[in-house]
Amino acid sequence: HVQLVESGGGSVQVGGSLRLSCVASGDTIGRYCMGWFRQIPDKEREGVASIDSDGNTFYSDSVKGRFTISRDNAENTLYLQMNSLKPEDTAMYYCAAKYYRGGYCGLNLGPAAFDYWGQGTQVTVS
């Protein structure tokens, strides 16, 4: 199965940008529907963006137009470019993978549908 390690989080001012990376090992991410989720204490984990193996992307309404998910299958890495950051984007961000055989890869699947998770990277916007 795939192992995931996120990086790129940090503290940034309102309006700033960050780029999160998720390096995969143990398997190729080309086999997976990949997603970014975020969570703040005492709240449920929420989907931010996802991407299928064909490159189709899905975004939550709260980040649409500001965040961009992408994948580099050759580097086995998933990215999340975050622009125009807001205080409400502050959260722990997680990379996740769901074994994919086609079909829907959108955020309506929910976190429970994803099989593999990274340890998270903290993003703080102030």
Side-chain angles (χ1 to χ4, degrees):
H1 61 272
V2 68
Q3 293 88 47
L4 306 170
V5 178
E6 304 97 332
S7 63
S11 297
V12 64
Q13 292 185 334
V14 173
S17 298
L18 283 174
R19 187 194 197 201
L20 305 184
S21 299
C22 172
V23 177
S25 60
D27 203 351
T28 172
I29 62 171
R31 300 177 187 271
Y32 295 86
C33 163
M34 302 294 297
W36 286 99
F37 293 79
R38 65 188 182 187
Q39 189 170 24
I40 58 176
D42 300 323
K43 296 287 188 181
E44 292 186 358
R45 194 167 294 189
E46 66 167 348
V48 174
S50 60
I51 183 169
D52 67 22
S53 58
D54 295 321
N56 297 304
T57 57
F58 306 84
Y59 295 94
S60 68
D61 288 342
S62 62
V63 308
K64 200 172 295 182
R66 300 187 297 121
F67 290 11
T68 303
I69 188 172
S70 61
R71 63 196 298 162
D72 185 333
N73 288 347
E75 295 294 325
N76 227 24
T77 301
L78 179 74
Y79 299 101
L80 184 69
Q81 178 66 45
M82 306 186 296
N83 298 329
S84 302
L85 283 161
K86 305 175 180 180
E88 52 264 42
D89 295 318
T90 295
M92 184 71 78
Y93 283 72
Y94 297 91
C95 168
K98 170 184 168 13
Y99 194 71
Y100 186 66
R101 294 186 179 182
Y104 182 67
C105 178
L107 297 176
N108 286 344
L109 290 172
F114 286 75
D115 306 302
Y116 305 106
W117 294 83
Q119 82 290 348
T121 186
Q122 177 68 36
V123 172
T124 303
V125 185
S126 60

